[in-house]
Amino acid sequence: GAPRSAPAQAPAGGADLSAHLWARYQDMRRLVHDLLPPEVCSLLNPAAIYANNEISLRDVEVYGFDYDYTLAQYADALHPEIFSAARDILIEHYKYPEGIRKYDYNPSFAIRGLHYDIQKSLLMKIDAFHYVQLGTAYRGLQPVPDEEVIALYGGTQHIPLYQMSGFYGKGPSIKQFMDIFSLPEMALLSCVVDYFLGHSLEFDQAHLYKDVTDAIRDVHVKGLMYQWIEQDMEKYILRGDETFAVLSRLVAHGKQLFLITNSPFSFVDKGMRHMVGPDWRQLFDVVIVQADKPSFFTDRRKPFRKLDEKGSLQWDRITRLEKGKIYRQGNLFDFLRLTEWRGPRVLYFGDHLYSDLADLMLRHGWRTGAIIPELEREIRIINTEQYMHSLTWQQALTGLLERMQTYQDAESRQVLAAWMKERQELRCITKALFNAQFGSIFRTFHNPTYFSRRLVRFSDLYMASLSCLLNYRVDFTFYPRRTPLQHEAPLWMDQLCTGCMKTPFLGDMAHIR
């Protein structure tokens, strides 16, 4: 296109400065209008599928699924039950103080993707570059001052790579909570630390962390969670009809389906009967339960075992995986050998980025889809926040320009400084819209979170639920949004070509030549 004309040099102050800022404001409005025509809705769709990588569903022949929080979506009412049961196990079996029983589950305390420094008893949000987001570090239920956080890490917000969580979210002393079941675990951990600190009781941080983790594990191992769900499936299982619609539609279009889950057969069978019907197994070409992911993807030693109709183990050697049969344990290498389902023709959906998706994408070349139930709520907040944000910018800028018409240049700078302070306060308000303690699971103030970084790395697609597939053709092609790199979109004044705008400090640098 035609070369852009050089922007006018900003005048010194007063009425000329006001006129200049008004002109720049109108230019920006026209630019935004050109980029986003008024007939296009600017709101995000919470039922959309978002792509990190190009993927054509036409090329996908085999669809695989995890069960918990993938085929079966659970209501938030499950979390208080897990919290309370694990709290009671701590008191009754691990002999923790009776006073811990006063704590109830707070559903708005933690978010997924947080890191916990075991030796410092610190729960915190870390961005994609390993920096702690200040204002999001908690010991127990109390926020830790920014100065103390920086001092704890040697005068920096940065967490070194060797301390960070490894491939499966576990580092030498730092654990990342990546699945939805970890929400009651983080809440219980914080409550127990809060009790010990509040009563000035000495404790070993590593022992406390392990005890809480074991208590949460006991809730699952003892089958308590399975009992609650089976007793009231209407209360705990969401979107069952949509799960049936997704599976039926894929089968009707000639796709092959398989299920790999860590849950036991009796639990999966009852849940699938509730959502899909008594003939649910006829939809799947292979069903594997108690798979022991993530070791299922890396350990070659465990063979497949067949279960009979009552769920009892059979002893025959498995030479093929039959439709309508149920298999336990096994490993991915035998699975690939017996099915020959390899590479990008396979798309597997799961909710845990490490246990479900990481190995499949990086080691075996399957395509992966992440189920992120929190996405729906976050998008609705973003839509609301975007409107408030744009309205506040417009109102603030309008007020600033009006005041500049009467203020001198020095006073104008004071007004501008006050306005920027208001913007800083607005950032805190924006954070609180998502979560008062930790903000969004996807973003810190400026950067993506560490959770977002892993989401982009380990999933081709991500969505709020499997039902989002119903909004797309089975041969649809997803393309990642081509967002400009930092050096490709010179929208900030300090990034404009120096041939168009004078470099402010060029004169000060003359002596270097």
mmCIF file of all heavy atoms in Angstrom, residues 429-455:
data_model
loop_
_atom_site.group_PDB
_atom_site.id
_atom_site.type_symbol
_atom_site.label_atom_id
_atom_site.label_comp_id
_atom_site.label_asym_id
_atom_site.label_seq_id
_atom_site.Cartn_x
_atom_site.Cartn_y
_atom_site.Cartn_z
ATOM 1 N N ILE A 429 -8.615 -5.001 39.646
ATOM 2 C CA ILE A 429 -10.047 -5.305 39.569
ATOM 3 C C ILE A 429 -10.282 -6.416 38.554
ATOM 4 O O ILE A 429 -11.067 -7.346 38.783
ATOM 5 C CB ILE A 429 -10.843 -4.040 39.189
ATOM 6 C CG1 ILE A 429 -10.717 -2.995 40.300
ATOM 7 C CG2 ILE A 429 -12.302 -4.379 38.922
ATOM 8 C CD1 ILE A 429 -11.332 -1.660 39.946
ATOM 9 N N THR A 430 -9.583 -6.349 37.414
ATOM 10 C CA THR A 430 -9.712 -7.372 36.384
ATOM 11 C C THR A 430 -9.312 -8.736 36.922
ATOM 12 O O THR A 430 -9.978 -9.746 36.681
ATOM 13 C CB THR A 430 -8.835 -7.017 35.171
ATOM 14 O OG1 THR A 430 -9.267 -5.768 34.638
ATOM 15 C CG2 THR A 430 -8.942 -8.088 34.093
ATOM 16 N N LYS A 431 -8.199 -8.796 37.668
ATOM 17 C CA LYS A 431 -7.757 -10.048 38.282
ATOM 18 C C LYS A 431 -8.842 -10.622 39.174
ATOM 19 O O LYS A 431 -9.137 -11.824 39.139
ATOM 20 C CB LYS A 431 -6.481 -9.804 39.076
ATOM 21 C CG LYS A 431 -6.076 -10.959 39.983
ATOM 22 C CD LYS A 431 -5.026 -10.507 40.984
ATOM 23 C CE LYS A 431 -4.962 -11.459 42.164
ATOM 24 N NZ LYS A 431 -4.145 -10.955 43.269
ATOM 25 N N ALA A 432 -9.463 -9.772 39.988
ATOM 26 C CA ALA A 432 -10.467 -10.234 40.944
ATOM 27 C C ALA A 432 -11.718 -10.768 40.258
ATOM 28 O O ALA A 432 -12.448 -11.577 40.838
ATOM 29 C CB ALA A 432 -10.831 -9.110 41.910
ATOM 30 N N LEU A 433 -11.980 -10.325 39.025
ATOM 31 C CA LEU A 433 -13.137 -10.840 38.306
ATOM 32 C C LEU A 433 -13.018 -12.355 38.102
ATOM 33 O O LEU A 433 -14.013 -13.076 38.137
ATOM 34 C CB LEU A 433 -13.275 -10.148 36.948
ATOM 35 C CG LEU A 433 -13.774 -8.703 36.954
ATOM 36 C CD1 LEU A 433 -13.711 -8.130 35.548
ATOM 37 C CD2 LEU A 433 -15.200 -8.629 37.485
ATOM 38 N N PHE A 434 -11.793 -12.829 37.890
ATOM 39 C CA PHE A 434 -11.570 -14.253 37.683
ATOM 40 C C PHE A 434 -11.475 -14.993 39.018
ATOM 41 O O PHE A 434 -12.160 -15.973 39.250
ATOM 42 C CB PHE A 434 -10.289 -14.463 36.882
ATOM 43 C CG PHE A 434 -10.356 -13.921 35.481
ATOM 44 C CD1 PHE A 434 -9.860 -12.666 35.179
ATOM 45 C CD2 PHE A 434 -10.930 -14.660 34.468
ATOM 46 C CE1 PHE A 434 -9.925 -12.161 33.891
ATOM 47 C CE2 PHE A 434 -11.005 -14.169 33.180
ATOM 48 C CZ PHE A 434 -10.502 -12.905 32.894
ATOM 49 N N ASN A 435 -10.573 -14.518 39.877
ATOM 50 C CA ASN A 435 -10.385 -15.126 41.196
ATOM 51 C C ASN A 435 -9.686 -14.080 42.065
ATOM 52 O O ASN A 435 -8.648 -13.544 41.668
ATOM 53 C CB ASN A 435 -9.549 -16.402 41.098
ATOM 54 C CG ASN A 435 -9.260 -17.028 42.447
ATOM 55 O OD1 ASN A 435 -8.320 -16.633 43.129
ATOM 56 N ND2 ASN A 435 -10.062 -18.004 42.824
ATOM 57 N N ALA A 436 -10.233 -13.825 43.236
ATOM 58 C CA ALA A 436 -9.720 -12.741 44.073
ATOM 59 C C ALA A 436 -8.279 -12.964 44.494
ATOM 60 O O ALA A 436 -7.513 -12.017 44.662
ATOM 61 C CB ALA A 436 -10.608 -12.574 45.305
ATOM 62 N N GLN A 437 -7.881 -14.235 44.668
ATOM 63 C CA GLN A 437 -6.526 -14.521 45.126
ATOM 64 C C GLN A 437 -5.535 -14.655 43.973
ATOM 65 O O GLN A 437 -4.419 -14.135 44.039
ATOM 66 C CB GLN A 437 -6.498 -15.819 45.946
ATOM 67 C CG GLN A 437 -7.181 -15.745 47.294
ATOM 68 C CD GLN A 437 -8.685 -15.727 47.193
ATOM 69 O OE1 GLN A 437 -9.316 -14.847 47.762
ATOM 70 N NE2 GLN A 437 -9.266 -16.683 46.463
ATOM 71 N N PHE A 438 -5.932 -15.363 42.906
ATOM 72 C CA PHE A 438 -4.953 -15.761 41.899
ATOM 73 C C PHE A 438 -5.287 -15.298 40.478
ATOM 74 O O PHE A 438 -4.475 -15.484 39.570
ATOM 75 C CB PHE A 438 -4.802 -17.287 41.915
ATOM 76 C CG PHE A 438 -4.343 -17.823 43.241
ATOM 77 C CD1 PHE A 438 -5.250 -18.384 44.133
ATOM 78 C CD2 PHE A 438 -3.017 -17.760 43.608
ATOM 79 C CE1 PHE A 438 -4.847 -18.887 45.358
ATOM 80 C CE2 PHE A 438 -2.589 -18.248 44.832
ATOM 81 C CZ PHE A 438 -3.504 -18.804 45.714
ATOM 82 N N GLY A 439 -6.459 -14.728 40.244
ATOM 83 C CA GLY A 439 -6.788 -14.247 38.912
ATOM 84 C C GLY A 439 -7.144 -15.366 37.947
ATOM 85 O O GLY A 439 -7.681 -16.405 38.334
ATOM 86 N N SER A 440 -6.814 -15.175 36.676
ATOM 87 C CA SER A 440 -7.153 -16.128 35.617
ATOM 88 C C SER A 440 -6.182 -17.309 35.615
ATOM 89 O O SER A 440 -5.004 -17.159 35.945
ATOM 90 C CB SER A 440 -7.095 -15.420 34.260
ATOM 91 O OG SER A 440 -7.096 -16.348 33.191
ATOM 92 N N ILE A 441 -6.676 -18.487 35.222
ATOM 93 C CA ILE A 441 -5.770 -19.630 35.116
ATOM 94 C C ILE A 441 -4.922 -19.542 33.846
ATOM 95 O O ILE A 441 -3.921 -20.254 33.728
ATOM 96 C CB ILE A 441 -6.528 -20.974 35.132
ATOM 97 C CG1 ILE A 441 -7.276 -21.214 33.824
ATOM 98 C CG2 ILE A 441 -7.468 -21.057 36.306
ATOM 99 C CD1 ILE A 441 -7.841 -22.615 33.720
ATOM 100 N N PHE A 442 -5.282 -18.664 32.919
ATOM 101 C CA PHE A 442 -4.585 -18.604 31.638
ATOM 102 C C PHE A 442 -3.573 -17.467 31.534
ATOM 103 O O PHE A 442 -2.686 -17.520 30.697
ATOM 104 C CB PHE A 442 -5.594 -18.453 30.493
ATOM 105 C CG PHE A 442 -6.543 -19.599 30.370
ATOM 106 C CD1 PHE A 442 -7.832 -19.513 30.863
ATOM 107 C CD2 PHE A 442 -6.152 -20.789 29.783
ATOM 108 C CE1 PHE A 442 -8.718 -20.568 30.762
ATOM 109 C CE2 PHE A 442 -7.024 -21.860 29.671
ATOM 110 C CZ PHE A 442 -8.311 -21.746 30.161
ATOM 111 N N ARG A 443 -3.705 -16.423 32.360
ATOM 112 C CA ARG A 443 -2.889 -15.231 32.154
ATOM 113 C C ARG A 443 -2.519 -14.577 33.472
ATOM 114 O O ARG A 443 -3.305 -14.565 34.416
ATOM 115 C CB ARG A 443 -3.660 -14.232 31.274
ATOM 116 C CG ARG A 443 -2.929 -12.934 31.020
ATOM 117 C CD ARG A 443 -3.672 -12.059 30.048
ATOM 118 N NE ARG A 443 -3.695 -12.619 28.710
ATOM 119 C CZ ARG A 443 -2.663 -12.569 27.865
ATOM 120 N NH1 ARG A 443 -1.533 -11.998 28.236
ATOM 121 N NH2 ARG A 443 -2.757 -13.105 26.673
ATOM 122 N N THR A 444 -1.281 -14.066 33.534
ATOM 123 C CA THR A 444 -0.919 -13.141 34.595
ATOM 124 C C THR A 444 -1.277 -11.747 34.066
ATOM 125 O O THR A 444 -2.046 -11.618 33.117
ATOM 126 C CB THR A 444 0.575 -13.244 34.943
ATOM 127 O OG1 THR A 444 1.350 -12.919 33.789
ATOM 128 C CG2 THR A 444 0.918 -14.649 35.396
ATOM 129 N N PHE A 445 -0.718 -10.684 34.635
ATOM 130 C CA PHE A 445 -1.084 -9.346 34.172
ATOM 131 C C PHE A 445 -0.753 -9.160 32.687
ATOM 132 O O PHE A 445 -1.555 -8.669 31.909
ATOM 133 C CB PHE A 445 -0.362 -8.274 34.998
ATOM 134 C CG PHE A 445 -0.898 -8.142 36.392
ATOM 135 C CD1 PHE A 445 -0.040 -8.023 37.475
ATOM 136 C CD2 PHE A 445 -2.263 -8.160 36.631
ATOM 137 C CE1 PHE A 445 -0.528 -7.903 38.760
ATOM 138 C CE2 PHE A 445 -2.764 -8.048 37.914
ATOM 139 C CZ PHE A 445 -1.894 -7.916 38.983
ATOM 140 N N HIS A 446 0.453 -9.567 32.275
ATOM 141 C CA HIS A 446 0.882 -9.360 30.894
ATOM 142 C C HIS A 446 1.163 -10.669 30.153
ATOM 143 O O HIS A 446 0.957 -10.754 28.945
ATOM 144 C CB HIS A 446 2.154 -8.489 30.843
ATOM 145 C CG HIS A 446 1.975 -7.113 31.387
ATOM 146 N ND1 HIS A 446 1.133 -6.188 30.812
ATOM 147 C CD2 HIS A 446 2.509 -6.513 32.471
ATOM 148 C CE1 HIS A 446 1.170 -5.066 31.511
ATOM 149 N NE2 HIS A 446 2.006 -5.241 32.529
ATOM 150 N N ASN A 447 1.652 -11.669 30.868
ATOM 151 C CA ASN A 447 2.119 -12.888 30.230
ATOM 152 C C ASN A 447 1.132 -14.040 30.405
ATOM 153 O O ASN A 447 0.310 -14.026 31.317
ATOM 154 C CB ASN A 447 3.468 -13.310 30.833
ATOM 155 C CG ASN A 447 4.542 -12.278 30.586
ATOM 156 O OD1 ASN A 447 4.546 -11.607 29.560
ATOM 157 N ND2 ASN A 447 5.468 -12.140 31.528
ATOM 158 N N PRO A 448 1.243 -15.060 29.558
ATOM 159 C CA PRO A 448 0.496 -16.296 29.819
ATOM 160 C C PRO A 448 1.009 -16.950 31.097
ATOM 161 O O PRO A 448 2.155 -16.757 31.491
ATOM 162 C CB PRO A 448 0.806 -17.167 28.591
ATOM 163 C CG PRO A 448 1.354 -16.235 27.565
ATOM 164 C CD PRO A 448 2.014 -15.127 28.305
ATOM 165 N N THR A 449 0.173 -17.750 31.744
ATOM 166 C CA THR A 449 0.606 -18.501 32.908
ATOM 167 C C THR A 449 1.405 -19.720 32.463
ATOM 168 O O THR A 449 1.415 -20.093 31.278
ATOM 169 C CB THR A 449 -0.597 -18.978 33.736
ATOM 170 O OG1 THR A 449 -1.420 -19.809 32.899
ATOM 171 C CG2 THR A 449 -1.411 -17.810 34.246
ATOM 172 N N TYR A 450 2.049 -20.353 33.431
ATOM 173 C CA TYR A 450 2.759 -21.601 33.134
ATOM 174 C C TYR A 450 1.765 -22.663 32.668
ATOM 175 O O TYR A 450 2.081 -23.496 31.811
ATOM 176 C CB TYR A 450 3.514 -22.073 34.372
ATOM 177 C CG TYR A 450 4.550 -23.123 34.084
ATOM 178 C CD1 TYR A 450 5.821 -22.768 33.626
ATOM 179 C CD2 TYR A 450 4.280 -24.474 34.261
ATOM 180 C CE1 TYR A 450 6.774 -23.730 33.351
ATOM 181 C CE2 TYR A 450 5.233 -25.441 33.998
ATOM 182 C CZ TYR A 450 6.473 -25.071 33.538
ATOM 183 O OH TYR A 450 7.412 -26.021 33.254
ATOM 184 N N PHE A 451 0.557 -22.636 33.213
ATOM 185 C CA PHE A 451 -0.496 -23.547 32.762
ATOM 186 C C PHE A 451 -0.788 -23.330 31.275
ATOM 187 O O PHE A 451 -0.902 -24.289 30.502
ATOM 188 C CB PHE A 451 -1.759 -23.332 33.589
ATOM 189 C CG PHE A 451 -2.925 -24.187 33.170
ATOM 190 C CD1 PHE A 451 -3.097 -25.457 33.682
ATOM 191 C CD2 PHE A 451 -3.864 -23.717 32.248
ATOM 192 C CE1 PHE A 451 -4.168 -26.254 33.290
ATOM 193 C CE2 PHE A 451 -4.937 -24.493 31.850
ATOM 194 C CZ PHE A 451 -5.084 -25.765 32.369
ATOM 195 N N SER A 452 -0.899 -22.072 30.851
ATOM 196 C CA SER A 452 -1.154 -21.764 29.442
ATOM 197 C C SER A 452 -0.024 -22.262 28.558
ATOM 198 O O SER A 452 -0.248 -22.764 27.451
ATOM 199 C CB SER A 452 -1.342 -20.262 29.244
ATOM 200 O OG SER A 452 -2.579 -19.834 29.717
ATOM 201 N N ARG A 453 1.201 -22.096 29.056
ATOM 202 C CA ARG A 453 2.360 -22.547 28.280
ATOM 203 C C ARG A 453 2.281 -24.045 28.019
ATOM 204 O O ARG A 453 2.540 -24.513 26.906
ATOM 205 C CB ARG A 453 3.637 -22.205 29.045
ATOM 206 C CG ARG A 453 4.915 -22.717 28.395
ATOM 207 C CD ARG A 453 6.119 -22.341 29.241
ATOM 208 N NE ARG A 453 7.349 -22.881 28.685
ATOM 209 C CZ ARG A 453 8.548 -22.688 29.219
ATOM 210 N NH1 ARG A 453 8.667 -21.965 30.319
ATOM 211 N NH2 ARG A 453 9.618 -23.211 28.657
ATOM 212 N N ARG A 454 1.922 -24.828 29.022
ATOM 213 C CA ARG A 454 1.816 -26.265 28.850
ATOM 214 C C ARG A 454 0.597 -26.637 28.006
ATOM 215 O O ARG A 454 0.628 -27.609 27.248
ATOM 216 C CB ARG A 454 1.734 -26.965 30.206
ATOM 217 C CG ARG A 454 2.835 -26.579 31.171
ATOM 218 C CD ARG A 454 4.201 -26.621 30.551
ATOM 219 N NE ARG A 454 4.909 -27.861 30.781
ATOM 220 C CZ ARG A 454 6.094 -28.163 30.241
ATOM 221 N NH1 ARG A 454 6.677 -27.324 29.422
ATOM 222 N NH2 ARG A 454 6.675 -29.306 30.506
ATOM 223 N N LEU A 455 -0.470 -25.869 28.121
ATOM 224 C CA LEU A 455 -1.663 -26.107 27.309
ATOM 225 C C LEU A 455 -1.331 -25.967 25.831
ATOM 226 O O LEU A 455 -1.735 -26.796 25.002
ATOM 227 C CB LEU A 455 -2.769 -25.130 27.713
ATOM 228 C CG LEU A 455 -4.056 -25.172 26.892
ATOM 229 C CD1 LEU A 455 -4.762 -26.513 27.068
ATOM 230 C CD2 LEU A 455 -4.981 -24.025 27.288
#
